[in-house]
Amino acid sequence: MMNTQFELQDNGVIVPLSNGPKYFNYYWLRDASNTSIDPQTRERIFDVSQLPTAPKATDLSIKDDVLTINWDAEDTPSEVPISLLESVATTGRAEDVAAIPRKVWYNGHLPNIPRIPQAEVINTAAGRAKLTRALIEDGIAIVSDMEPTEESLPNLVKAIGPVTPSGEGLFFNVRVEIEPTNLAFTAGPLEMHTDLPGEEAAPGVQFLHCLENTVDGGLSLFLDGVAVAMALKEEDPDAFEMLAAHKIPFFYRHDKIDYRSHQRVIETDQDGNVTGVTISQHLQDNMDLPQDLLDRYYPAFIKFIRMMQEDRFLLKFKSEAGNCVVFDNHRIVHGREGYVADSGSRHLRGCYTDRAAMRSTYRIASKSA
Ligand SMILES: [Fe+2]
């Protein structure tokens, strides 16, 4: 392609692409050049702040899906893959295999939850790809046939990402305790919540390994917080806006811990799409929004909490020994029905990893799966 097809401007150039002409800034093109990345470390070795003058193209050409740019103040031309330009022109970003759209789900989702045996996750890329893809799309999956050992949960998590510590350490146990520090450690019902909203950034992916469950009752409850938030947006846009716009305080405290943090109940991205939810009435502090704003905030908040109790969203099942439920802690809201403490034993072991680590595992595993 000859220079005539490019429209050179002061700060950038219009490049002809398959979807039509698209403007690219010269700094961006210089920064995106193949020569900016070290082929061995794959890290950026070009420092845009070291350019003595603003980059300016003198001529451009396209050959074999590569855009070559000659600069007026540099001897070496830059090469930028056309595939990158096409992707940025279409989505605003480089291509990402992990950028899979969420699939919202409702109360009938139980038979569709992917179940992957633990050995498959640990030993095969296909197993890891299947689990992490489910976590990106549905936000929930079940790892079955867990080895009934102490090392079983750490071995599973390691296959997906490093364990994210919480205020309580690396691993926690959910069972009846004599002096509970958390409602989870009693036999009472546990209302719908996401974990650890009092931390600056709540852990992204939660694992709950059921080691034993012979009690009467104690059904596990899960719902897709994105589905509820989208339904609220549809049914009461003002209430949705309230919960998406304002942060409220959460805490986590006992004798040796006093975490405090503010979170939005509904998280949205720059386009207004719901990306997650944060909810936990038992770890919610006294609201500190202006009192007159609370006149409108509380009704919206209550509406959202009541919606989360509606059957259309709720998934109920009994946690079975040998299964590990894995879910996105910024999206999937979970709880538990009460149970009869002396009717048997119930013991879950849990921990967290990071969502970025989980997506990284998907990118790598899906390549070789
Ligand atoms: Fe929890």
PDB file of all heavy atoms in Angstrom, residues 53-73:
ATOM      1  N   THR A  53      12.109  14.812  20.577  1.00  0.00           N
ATOM      2  CA  THR A  53      11.022  15.639  20.025  1.00  0.00           C
ATOM      3  C   THR A  53       9.807  14.744  19.796  1.00  0.00           C
ATOM      4  O   THR A  53       9.927  13.522  19.760  1.00  0.00           O
ATOM      5  CB  THR A  53      11.428  16.244  18.653  1.00  0.00           C
ATOM      6  OG1 THR A  53      11.820  15.171  17.796  1.00  0.00           O
ATOM      7  CG2 THR A  53      12.563  17.242  18.786  1.00  0.00           C
ATOM      8  N   ALA A  54       8.648  15.358  19.613  1.00  0.00           N
ATOM      9  CA  ALA A  54       7.429  14.584  19.358  1.00  0.00           C
ATOM     10  C   ALA A  54       7.608  13.800  18.062  1.00  0.00           C
ATOM     11  O   ALA A  54       8.117  14.337  17.075  1.00  0.00           O
ATOM     12  CB  ALA A  54       6.236  15.525  19.233  1.00  0.00           C
ATOM     13  N   PRO A  55       7.245  12.506  18.044  1.00  0.00           N
ATOM     14  CA  PRO A  55       7.445  11.711  16.821  1.00  0.00           C
ATOM     15  C   PRO A  55       6.552  12.209  15.683  1.00  0.00           C
ATOM     16  O   PRO A  55       5.417  12.637  15.915  1.00  0.00           O
ATOM     17  CB  PRO A  55       7.044  10.294  17.253  1.00  0.00           C
ATOM     18  CG  PRO A  55       6.195  10.457  18.456  1.00  0.00           C
ATOM     19  CD  PRO A  55       6.589  11.739  19.120  1.00  0.00           C
ATOM     20  N   LYS A  56       7.099  12.148  14.490  1.00  0.00           N
ATOM     21  CA  LYS A  56       6.356  12.568  13.306  1.00  0.00           C
ATOM     22  C   LYS A  56       6.707  11.610  12.171  1.00  0.00           C
ATOM     23  O   LYS A  56       7.882  11.399  11.873  1.00  0.00           O
ATOM     24  CB  LYS A  56       6.768  13.994  12.934  1.00  0.00           C
ATOM     25  CG  LYS A  56       5.633  14.817  12.357  1.00  0.00           C
ATOM     26  CD  LYS A  56       6.022  16.285  12.310  1.00  0.00           C
ATOM     27  CE  LYS A  56       5.082  17.036  11.429  1.00  0.00           C
ATOM     28  NZ  LYS A  56       3.891  17.525  11.994  1.00  0.00           N
ATOM     29  N   ALA A  57       5.698  11.036  11.547  1.00  0.00           N
ATOM     30  CA  ALA A  57       5.945  10.077  10.470  1.00  0.00           C
ATOM     31  C   ALA A  57       6.263  10.819   9.181  1.00  0.00           C
ATOM     32  O   ALA A  57       5.708  11.897   8.912  1.00  0.00           O
ATOM     33  CB  ALA A  57       4.722   9.184  10.284  1.00  0.00           C
ATOM     34  N   THR A  58       7.185  10.244   8.401  1.00  0.00           N
ATOM     35  CA  THR A  58       7.463  10.818   7.086  1.00  0.00           C
ATOM     36  C   THR A  58       6.805   9.988   5.982  1.00  0.00           C
ATOM     37  O   THR A  58       6.311  10.530   5.008  1.00  0.00           O
ATOM     38  CB  THR A  58       8.980  10.901   6.825  1.00  0.00           C
ATOM     39  OG1 THR A  58       9.537   9.603   7.060  1.00  0.00           O
ATOM     40  CG2 THR A  58       9.631  11.937   7.717  1.00  0.00           C
ATOM     41  N   ASP A  59       6.811   8.672   6.144  1.00  0.00           N
ATOM     42  CA  ASP A  59       6.042   7.846   5.219  1.00  0.00           C
ATOM     43  C   ASP A  59       5.715   6.493   5.850  1.00  0.00           C
ATOM     44  O   ASP A  59       6.373   6.038   6.779  1.00  0.00           O
ATOM     45  CB  ASP A  59       6.753   7.678   3.865  1.00  0.00           C
ATOM     46  CG  ASP A  59       8.035   6.915   4.002  1.00  0.00           C
ATOM     47  OD1 ASP A  59       7.971   5.665   3.929  1.00  0.00           O
ATOM     48  OD2 ASP A  59       9.078   7.548   4.219  1.00  0.00           O
ATOM     49  N   LEU A  60       4.640   5.897   5.332  1.00  0.00           N
ATOM     50  CA  LEU A  60       4.152   4.633   5.885  1.00  0.00           C
ATOM     51  C   LEU A  60       3.859   3.660   4.758  1.00  0.00           C
ATOM     52  O   LEU A  60       3.567   4.089   3.631  1.00  0.00           O
ATOM     53  CB  LEU A  60       2.852   4.845   6.683  1.00  0.00           C
ATOM     54  CG  LEU A  60       2.906   5.811   7.867  1.00  0.00           C
ATOM     55  CD1 LEU A  60       2.489   7.205   7.444  1.00  0.00           C
ATOM     56  CD2 LEU A  60       2.023   5.325   8.999  1.00  0.00           C
ATOM     57  N   SER A  61       3.930   2.357   5.100  1.00  0.00           N
ATOM     58  CA  SER A  61       3.550   1.341   4.116  1.00  0.00           C
ATOM     59  C   SER A  61       3.021   0.107   4.843  1.00  0.00           C
ATOM     60  O   SER A  61       3.356  -0.132   6.008  1.00  0.00           O
ATOM     61  CB  SER A  61       4.756   0.967   3.249  1.00  0.00           C
ATOM     62  OG  SER A  61       5.792   0.486   4.068  1.00  0.00           O
ATOM     63  N   ILE A  62       2.176  -0.627   4.128  1.00  0.00           N
ATOM     64  CA  ILE A  62       1.652  -1.872   4.708  1.00  0.00           C
ATOM     65  C   ILE A  62       2.099  -3.030   3.832  1.00  0.00           C
ATOM     66  O   ILE A  62       1.913  -3.013   2.617  1.00  0.00           O
ATOM     67  CB  ILE A  62       0.101  -1.851   4.792  1.00  0.00           C
ATOM     68  CG1 ILE A  62      -0.354  -0.787   5.790  1.00  0.00           C
ATOM     69  CG2 ILE A  62      -0.425  -3.229   5.215  1.00  0.00           C
ATOM     70  CD1 ILE A  62      -1.865  -0.607   5.868  1.00  0.00           C
ATOM     71  N   LYS A  63       2.733  -4.040   4.474  1.00  0.00           N
ATOM     72  CA  LYS A  63       3.141  -5.227   3.734  1.00  0.00           C
ATOM     73  C   LYS A  63       3.058  -6.429   4.669  1.00  0.00           C
ATOM     74  O   LYS A  63       3.504  -6.347   5.818  1.00  0.00           O
ATOM     75  CB  LYS A  63       4.588  -5.059   3.225  1.00  0.00           C
ATOM     76  CG  LYS A  63       4.935  -6.025   2.129  1.00  0.00           C
ATOM     77  CD  LYS A  63       6.384  -5.880   1.692  1.00  0.00           C
ATOM     78  CE  LYS A  63       6.772  -7.123   0.912  1.00  0.00           C
ATOM     79  NZ  LYS A  63       8.175  -7.437   1.028  1.00  0.00           N
ATOM     80  N   ASP A  64       2.479  -7.527   4.185  1.00  0.00           N
ATOM     81  CA  ASP A  64       2.354  -8.750   4.983  1.00  0.00           C
ATOM     82  C   ASP A  64       1.752  -8.476   6.360  1.00  0.00           C
ATOM     83  O   ASP A  64       2.263  -8.939   7.378  1.00  0.00           O
ATOM     84  CB  ASP A  64       3.730  -9.422   5.168  1.00  0.00           C
ATOM     85  CG  ASP A  64       4.309  -9.861   3.838  1.00  0.00           C
ATOM     86  OD1 ASP A  64       3.522 -10.075   2.897  1.00  0.00           O
ATOM     87  OD2 ASP A  64       5.543  -9.975   3.746  1.00  0.00           O
ATOM     88  N   ASP A  65       0.694  -7.706   6.386  1.00  0.00           N
ATOM     89  CA  ASP A  65      -0.009  -7.439   7.645  1.00  0.00           C
ATOM     90  C   ASP A  65       0.832  -6.709   8.684  1.00  0.00           C
ATOM     91  O   ASP A  65       0.616  -6.854   9.889  1.00  0.00           O
ATOM     92  CB  ASP A  65      -0.584  -8.723   8.243  1.00  0.00           C
ATOM     93  CG  ASP A  65      -1.797  -9.193   7.454  1.00  0.00           C
ATOM     94  OD1 ASP A  65      -2.471  -8.323   6.857  1.00  0.00           O
ATOM     95  OD2 ASP A  65      -2.052 -10.403   7.430  1.00  0.00           O
ATOM     96  N   VAL A  66       1.817  -5.961   8.208  1.00  0.00           N
ATOM     97  CA  VAL A  66       2.607  -5.133   9.132  1.00  0.00           C
ATOM     98  C   VAL A  66       2.618  -3.703   8.604  1.00  0.00           C
ATOM     99  O   VAL A  66       2.823  -3.474   7.406  1.00  0.00           O
ATOM    100  CB  VAL A  66       4.059  -5.670   9.249  1.00  0.00           C
ATOM    101  CG1 VAL A  66       4.934  -4.690  10.024  1.00  0.00           C
ATOM    102  CG2 VAL A  66       4.070  -7.041   9.921  1.00  0.00           C
ATOM    103  N   LEU A  67       2.382  -2.760   9.497  1.00  0.00           N
ATOM    104  CA  LEU A  67       2.485  -1.342   9.133  1.00  0.00           C
ATOM    105  C   LEU A  67       3.898  -0.878   9.458  1.00  0.00           C
ATOM    106  O   LEU A  67       4.353  -1.027  10.597  1.00  0.00           O
ATOM    107  CB  LEU A  67       1.471  -0.514   9.944  1.00  0.00           C
ATOM    108  CG  LEU A  67       1.579   1.009   9.808  1.00  0.00           C
ATOM    109  CD1 LEU A  67       1.154   1.480   8.412  1.00  0.00           C
ATOM    110  CD2 LEU A  67       0.729   1.709  10.872  1.00  0.00           C
ATOM    111  N   THR A  68       4.601  -0.368   8.457  1.00  0.00           N
ATOM    112  CA  THR A  68       5.955   0.148   8.686  1.00  0.00           C
ATOM    113  C   THR A  68       5.906   1.674   8.627  1.00  0.00           C
ATOM    114  O   THR A  68       5.309   2.248   7.709  1.00  0.00           O
ATOM    115  CB  THR A  68       6.936  -0.397   7.631  1.00  0.00           C
ATOM    116  OG1 THR A  68       6.895  -1.829   7.690  1.00  0.00           O
ATOM    117  CG2 THR A  68       8.348   0.073   7.893  1.00  0.00           C
ATOM    118  N   ILE A  69       6.523   2.282   9.641  1.00  0.00           N
ATOM    119  CA  ILE A  69       6.481   3.747   9.740  1.00  0.00           C
ATOM    120  C   ILE A  69       7.914   4.280   9.772  1.00  0.00           C
ATOM    121  O   ILE A  69       8.716   3.850  10.613  1.00  0.00           O
ATOM    122  CB  ILE A  69       5.767   4.193  11.047  1.00  0.00           C
ATOM    123  CG1 ILE A  69       4.412   3.497  11.181  1.00  0.00           C
ATOM    124  CG2 ILE A  69       5.622   5.710  11.091  1.00  0.00           C
ATOM    125  CD1 ILE A  69       3.937   3.381  12.613  1.00  0.00           C
ATOM    126  N   ASN A  70       8.237   5.209   8.890  1.00  0.00           N
ATOM    127  CA  ASN A  70       9.519   5.914   8.968  1.00  0.00           C
ATOM    128  C   ASN A  70       9.291   7.233   9.689  1.00  0.00           C
ATOM    129  O   ASN A  70       8.302   7.938   9.436  1.00  0.00           O
ATOM    130  CB  ASN A  70      10.096   6.161   7.569  1.00  0.00           C
ATOM    131  CG  ASN A  70      10.656   4.865   6.979  1.00  0.00           C
ATOM    132  OD1 ASN A  70      11.487   4.204   7.585  1.00  0.00           O
ATOM    133  ND2 ASN A  70      10.147   4.498   5.804  1.00  0.00           N
ATOM    134  N   TRP A  71      10.225   7.547  10.586  1.00  0.00           N
ATOM    135  CA  TRP A  71      10.095   8.756  11.412  1.00  0.00           C
ATOM    136  C   TRP A  71      11.086   9.823  10.968  1.00  0.00           C
ATOM    137  O   TRP A  71      12.194   9.496  10.543  1.00  0.00           O
ATOM    138  CB  TRP A  71      10.347   8.422  12.887  1.00  0.00           C
ATOM    139  CG  TRP A  71       9.454   7.346  13.429  1.00  0.00           C
ATOM    140  CD1 TRP A  71       9.770   6.052  13.676  1.00  0.00           C
ATOM    141  CD2 TRP A  71       8.066   7.490  13.788  1.00  0.00           C
ATOM    142  NE1 TRP A  71       8.693   5.364  14.167  1.00  0.00           N
ATOM    143  CE2 TRP A  71       7.630   6.225  14.253  1.00  0.00           C
ATOM    144  CE3 TRP A  71       7.154   8.556  13.770  1.00  0.00           C
ATOM    145  CZ2 TRP A  71       6.324   5.988  14.683  1.00  0.00           C
ATOM    146  CZ3 TRP A  71       5.875   8.324  14.208  1.00  0.00           C
ATOM    147  CH2 TRP A  71       5.453   7.062  14.661  1.00  0.00           C
ATOM    148  N   ASP A  72      10.709  11.081  11.144  1.00  0.00           N
ATOM    149  CA  ASP A  72      11.616  12.142  10.673  1.00  0.00           C
ATOM    150  C   ASP A  72      12.880  12.273  11.531  1.00  0.00           C
ATOM    151  O   ASP A  72      13.926  12.654  11.040  1.00  0.00           O
ATOM    152  CB  ASP A  72      10.878  13.490  10.544  1.00  0.00           C
ATOM    153  CG  ASP A  72      10.454  14.067  11.875  1.00  0.00           C
ATOM    154  OD1 ASP A  72      10.522  13.344  12.894  1.00  0.00           O
ATOM    155  OD2 ASP A  72      10.038  15.248  11.910  1.00  0.00           O
ATOM    156  N   ALA A  73      12.821  11.903  12.822  1.00  0.00           N
ATOM    157  CA  ALA A  73      13.983  12.101  13.687  1.00  0.00           C
ATOM    158  C   ALA A  73      14.663  10.801  14.088  1.00  0.00           C
ATOM    159  O   ALA A  73      15.515  10.787  14.972  1.00  0.00           O
ATOM    160  CB  ALA A  73      13.562  12.875  14.938  1.00  0.00           C
TER     161      ALA A  73
END
